[in-house]
Amino acid sequence: EGVDAGGLSREFFAILAKEMFNPNYALFMSTEDGCTFQPNPNSSINPDDLRYFRFVGRIVGKAVVDGFLLDAHFTRSLYKHMLGVKPTHHDMQAIDPDYYKNLQMILEHNLEDIGLELTFSTEDHSFGRSRTIDLIPDGRNTIVTDETKSRYVDLVCQHRMTSAIEKQITAFLEGWNEMVDPDLISIFSAKELELLISGMPDIDIHDLKNNTEYNGYRPADKEIGWFWNIMFSLKRSEKAAFLQFVTGSSKVPLSGFSELSGMRGVQKFSINKAASGPAGALMSAHTCFNALDLPVYKSEEEMKEKLHYAISEGGGGFGFA
C-alpha cells in the first residue's frame, strides 16, 4: 500500500530490475564475474522469451525516460547494440576473460608456434548436445591461417555477442526503441549509457553528508555525529540498502546527491527529528521526500542496532503515514 509521489515508482522499477535476471525466466545469463548480464542464447526454453525481452526493453527505456535508475548491469556489448554500435573482440574480455586471453594469444602468436589448428567454425554446447556452427560458408572445412586469424577472431566474437542471441537482442531493442529515440542517445558511449541507466557504481558518504538538510537537529548535535560515524562504517552493500530504505533506489544520480530527485524535483536527503513515539523506536523513511525520521537514542550503539534493523527489514514495501 502507498501513495506514489516518486518513492513507490522507484521501488517498482527496483523490483522489476531484480526480476529481469530471475533464472526461472531463463532470459539472461551472468558473465564470469557474476556482475553483468547478457541475453541467454538458450532462452527459447521459455516459450514466451521474445515477448519478455520486448517487455524488458520497454521497462529499461521507460526508466530512462522517467529518470529512474535501475540496478541492472548489462554487458558492454549489449549497451553497444542499444547504441547501434558494433561490438569488437575487446568486449569479450568482460564476458569471458579466459576466452578473451585465448583469442589474444591467437592474435599475438603464430598459430604453428602454439600448435593450433583452427577452422572457421565454432562449437555450440546446449541441452547436452554439441553441434558445429559455420562462421562462413563451409567454414568447418576452411583452415584459419595467420593471414586470416584476425577475421576468425572477429567472426567468433560476433557469433558469441550478436549472432547467437540475435533474436533476443532484436526483441529487446524493439521494446527499448519504443521508449527511447535512438537519435537522442547517439551522443553517448557504452559506458555513459550504463551510467545513465544504472547510476554511479559507488556511494560517496562524504557527498551525501555535504548534501543533507536537518529538521529538528543541528549538524553539531551528538546524535548527528553518531549517525555519520555509523554511515561511514557501513559496508558497500549496507550503504546501498540504506539508500534503498530512504530513497526507494539503491543507485546514486550521475551528478551525485546534489541532484537527488523527489516529488518536488531536486530534493536533498534530510534528517528529521522524530516528534513522537516510544523511546528506542525504529527510524522510518519517506522515500518520496528522501527523508529519514530519526528518533533520539541513548547511545551510538543503540542507533547502530536500530539502523541495521531498519535497512535489513524495512527496505521494501509501503505504508500510509
Side-chain angles (χ1 to χ4, degrees), residues 222-235:
K222 67 177 185 297
E223 290 86 358
I224 297 302
W226 294 345
F227 175 79
W228 290 115
N229 288 341
I230 295 167
M231 289 301 299
F232 281 110
S233 70
L234 295 180
K235 302 174 185 176

Side-chain angles (χ1 to χ4, degrees), residues 77 80 86-97 99-105 107-108 149-158 161:
S77 58
K80 287 189 174 182
K86 182 180 178 181
T88 70
H89 78 276
H90 295 294
D91 297 314
M92 183 60 69
Q93 184 173 13
I95 298 174
D96 191 336
Y99 189 69
Y100 174 76
K101 288 179 183 178
N102 292 337
L103 295 177
Q104 283 295 102
M105 184 173 64
L107 292 174
E108 295 170 1
K149 64 184 181 182
S150 294
R151 187 186 179 205
Y152 166 80
V153 169
D154 287 340
L155 289 172
V156 77
C157 289
Q158 180 181 338
M161 295 185 288

Side-chain angles (χ1 to χ4, degrees), residues 188-206:
F188 295 118
S189 66
K191 180 61 177 177
E192 290 168 339
L193 181 59
E194 180 181 11
L195 292 174
L196 181 67
I197 294 171
S198 304
M200 297 294 287
D202 297 315
I203 298 173
D204 186 348
I205 300 300
H206 288 286

Side-chain angles (χ1 to χ4, degrees), residues 14 36 189 208-209 235 284 312 317:
T36 57
S189 66
L208 178 62
K209 183 178 180 181
K235 302 174 185 176
S284 59
S312 61

Side-chain angles (χ1 to χ4, degrees), residues 11 244-246 285 308-317:
E11 182 167 337
Q244 177 75 43
F245 176 65
V246 296
H308 275 281
Y309 188 84
I311 65 176
S312 61
E313 301 297 333

